[in-house]
Amino acid sequence: MASSSLGTTESTVLEDHDSADATASDRGSFDRILVAIDGDTDDDVGAAGVSLAARHGARVDALSVVQMNASVDHWDMRVERREASAEAALDAVGDVATETDISVAKRLRYGDPAKEIELYASHNDVDLIVVGKPTRTGLRRYLSPTSVTERVHRSASVPVLTVPTAD
């Protein structure tokens, strides 16, 4: 079946999904999807995660990590702005899900985003991680050659779906 097209494979999955006897593992479906977002994440990332969850009957965990590093190790205005931005991003995913019957668990954590995403996924039986693929050009690309998305992709023990963000 390696030569079958994506459309043919997808039809098979949908037929199995409609079958009352098929289990989640038989369908190749996802039961729990982690949508990793921050204040700069495009709305398409949350929409993609919720759409997949609706298609597979999965539940969504929306996770936003407030980046904490050596230069920001105490509560100040910068951390408070990051926290407000993260909470707004979580609410945006919840707003997308209100149009469906998908439940969204909103989670806010502090630390290194890539590490926290990987830890959350491994400790919470996540089947798929959905993250945005940032556009990194100029000085940002030079100062940070590896994005959070790339680090998550390398370290995650489950599939990672990257959603291109709008320029």
Side-chain angles (χ1 to χ4, degrees):
M1 190 94 127
S3 64
S4 69
S5 70
L6 181 60
T8 305
T9 303
E10 189 160 313
S11 298
T12 303
V13 172
L14 291 176
E15 289 170 12
D16 286 346
H17 179 66
D18 294 335
S19 170
D21 298 342
T23 64
S25 61
D26 292 338
R27 293 189 313 261
S29 93
F30 306 109
D31 293 324
R32 194 165 184 182
I33 297 173
L34 174 61
V35 178
I37 53 170
D38 65 16
D40 296 330
T41 303
D42 195 86
D43 291 340
D44 291 343
V45 176
V50 170
S51 175
L52 278 169
R55 188 172 190 179
H56 291 272
R59 112 179 194 205
V60 173
D61 291 10
L63 174 66
S64 191
V65 181
V66 175
Q67 185 171 358
M68 301 293 288
N69 53 34
S71 65
V72 184
D73 59 356
H74 58 280
W75 298 105
D76 61 359
M77 293 298 283
R78 180 181 283 175
V79 173
E80 289 175 7
R81 281 193 302 265
R82 288 179 184 174
E83 187 176 53
S85 179
E87 289 173 350
L90 290 170
D91 289 340
V93 174
D95 292 344
V96 170
T98 57
E99 300 170 6
T100 66
D101 288 336
I102 301 303
S103 66
V104 175
K106 300 175 192 175
R107 305 286 186 240
L108 181 64
R109 289 195 171 186
Y110 300 87
D112 176 74
K115 287 181 184 176
E116 291 298 322
I117 292 166
E118 193 275 325
L119 283 172
Y120 188 91
S122 65
H123 290 224
N124 290 285
D125 201 26
V126 169
D127 299 313
L128 175 71
I129 301 172
V130 179
V131 294
K133 182 175 180 158
T135 303
R136 298 171 349 141
T137 59
L139 188 58
R140 178 177 248 183
R141 187 176 199 176
Y142 176 73
L143 294 174
S144 179
T146 306
S147 71
V148 170
T149 302
E150 292 167 1
R151 291 175 48 211
V152 168
H153 197 292
R154 284 189 213 141
S155 66
S157 59
V158 297
V160 175
L161 173 66
T162 57
V163 179
T165 57
D167 291 337

